[in-house]
Structure formats: C-alpha cells, structure tokens
Amino acid sequence: MNREKISSGLLDPRSKLAVFIAACLSAFSGLTHPQEFVLLALCVGITLLCQKWKRAFYTGLIFAVMFLCDLFLAPRLSGILQNIIMLACHFCRFILPMFAAFYIVTQTSRIGEYISAFTQMHLPNEVIIPLAVMLRFVPTIQEEWQMVNQALRLRGMALTWKNVLCRPLQMMEYMLVPFLLQCSVIVDEMSAAVMARGFDKNMPRTSYAEVQMKALDWCIIAVSAGLLFWNLCF
C-alpha cells in the first residue's frame, strides 16, 4: 500500500541541531560585540525561516534593549545599582542565543523528523532513543508545568510574587510535588511508547516524515561551523 510521505518543512532538523550546538559552545567562549550580533542574527534568521515571526521579533527586541541598557544606562549609574543592571544585561545576552536555538530545536520540528534524520545518519538505536526521548520530554514538561499552574490558579494558589513571598514553602510544595510525580509518569509513558514502536528491535525502520538535506541546510551548517570556529579561536 502506498503511503504519502510528510514533508519536514523548509529546514532539515540536522541544520537546526548544528545551530544549537554552535550557540551553546559559542556562548561559553566569551563573545565580543560583533560575535554576539552575528550569533543572535543567525538564531533570529533561523527562527524567521521556521515562520516563528513573533518569537524572532521578541528575541531581537530583548537583545536590543539589553545591549542599549548596557551601553547607555549602566555607565550613568554607580554603586550597587550599576552592578545589578550590568549583571542583568550581560546574563540576558549570555543565555538569549542558547534559549533561541533551544526553541528552534524543540518547537519547530517533530520527533519523527529527528528520528528519521538520525536513522539516515546510521546512528545506533542506543543513541537515537535517548535523543528522541530527550527532545520530546522538554515540551511535554512545559505543558505539565502549565497544567499544574492552571490547577493551582483555579484553587486560588497561582504562582504569583505575592504567594511566593508570603508562603514560599507552601508554594514550593504545591508546585513541585505534583510536577515531579507527573514527570515520573511521563518517563514511564515515553519508555512504553518507545517499546511499542519497536525501537528495541534490530530492524530497519521507515518514517512518514521525509527529511532531506538541501542546499540551504548545508549553508546553515557551514555558517554555524564557521561562526563556532571564529568564536572559539578569535
């Protein structure tokens, strides 16, 4: 029976992973201002190619505000306030490319696309299964956190600054206990789903998601590799 393949979109998941690796390693290498601009421009550009317009706009806006505050506002202050502003600006600019690349990896591709891409790379199942579970686990945890927060909000225990300051231990218990219990349930469900799909069998697998490296993907990987080399060596 002929089954129609599902296209993976404009970009291959492997090019997104290359951007994520370059962003993480570059962020810890100590970036100059031009290197920061180029790295963030790469992340924002990939976000735009994935048609996440609002996310790309807010990412660029946050970076611009942090950079301008560090450039013009912090020198006009003094003492502890100056240190706080500089710390906040540098920290936000430090984590922003990693968060943007992480969003691209986890929110713009399906797990089936990653599995298909890893299978084409002839990776063993011992590598494919942990990577697939990890990439699926993160957005699932975000959904569970929102559900726990929503349930507490209906009971008048929303996660607000007032509740955190007035009842910190109680809020920690109400948020973390159901969240951690649900995490253990999710891990068991994912393990069962992996076994049900036959990943423990040494048999070639097919996929509905059709992934293929295009010229644009190779260009993104080349730019990511060049940017990583520039950030680590200069």
Side-chain angles (χ1 to χ4, degrees):
M1 182 174 61
N2 294 329
R3 295 181 177 178
E4 185 179 356
K5 294 284 187 177
I6 299 176
S7 176
S8 62
L10 183 62
L11 298 179
D12 189 276
R14 288 164 284 190
S15 62
K16 301 175 185 178
L17 283 175
V19 175
F20 176 67
I21 294 173
C24 291
L25 295 179
S26 298
F28 289 95
S29 64
L31 302 178
T32 62
H33 287 168
Q35 291 171 336
E36 285 187 41
F37 286 131
V38 175
L39 178 60
L40 191 81
L42 175 63
C43 296
V44 171
I46 301 301
T47 308
L48 290 174
L49 289 176
C50 296
Q51 299 181 355
K52 301 294 182 179
W53 321 110
K54 187 180 294 185
R55 175 70 61 165
F57 172 76
Y58 284 125
T59 301
L61 179 63
I62 293 173
F63 181 84
V65 170
M66 293 297 104
F67 182 79
L68 293 176
C69 288
D70 187 25
L71 192 63
F72 297 107
L73 180 60
R76 299 176 181 273
L77 303 175
S78 61
I80 298 178
L81 183 59
Q82 182 186 36
N83 295 332
I84 293 175
I85 295 297
M86 291 182 63
L87 178 62
C89 293
H90 283 270
F91 181 73
C92 288
R93 285 160 50 194
F94 170 76
I95 66 173
L96 193 59
M98 292 188 292
F99 272 45
F102 184 74
Y103 176 85
I104 293 170
V105 169
T106 58
Q107 301 294 331
T108 62
S109 293
R110 298 185 296 270
I111 299 302
E113 297 172 4
Y114 282 107
I115 295 175
S116 178
F118 295 150
T119 303
Q120 290 184 13
M121 297 170 65
H122 304 288
L123 296 178
N125 287 337
E126 291 78 7
V127 177
I128 296 177
I129 294 174
L131 289 176
V133 172
M134 178 189 67
L135 292 171
R136 184 66 187 93
F137 186 73
V138 173
T140 304
I141 288 300
Q142 294 176 348
E143 295 174 2
E144 293 299 329
W145 180 265
Q146 294 174 358
M147 291 176 62
V148 171
N149 192 17
Q150 184 179 5
L152 290 177
R153 188 183 299 275
L154 292 175
R155 292 163 175 82
M157 292 292 295
L159 186 63
T160 61
W161 286 109
K162 180 181 178 181
N163 289 333
V164 171
L165 295 176
C166 296
R167 306 178 273 189
L169 296 179
Q170 198 174 14
M171 288 302 301
M172 184 181 298
E173 177 185 358
Y174 289 166
M175 290 295 297
L176 292 182
V177 171
F179 177 69
L180 294 177
L181 289 175
Q182 192 62 27
C183 287
S184 63
V185 174
I186 292 173
V187 171
D188 294 337
E189 291 177 351
M190 285 187 174
S191 301
V194 167
M195 299 295 291
R197 286 167 173 78
F199 279 96
D200 58 332
K201 305 297 183 181
N202 293 324
M203 298 289 293
R205 294 181 52 82
T206 59
S207 177
Y208 278 109
E210 183 178 4
V211 296
Q212 183 180 3
M213 293 289 291
K214 309 178 185 66
L216 181 59
D217 296 301
W218 289 112
C219 291
I220 292 174
I221 293 176
V223 171
S224 301
L227 180 59
L228 180 61
F229 178 78
W230 179 33
N231 293 334
L232 294 179
C233 298
F234 297 96

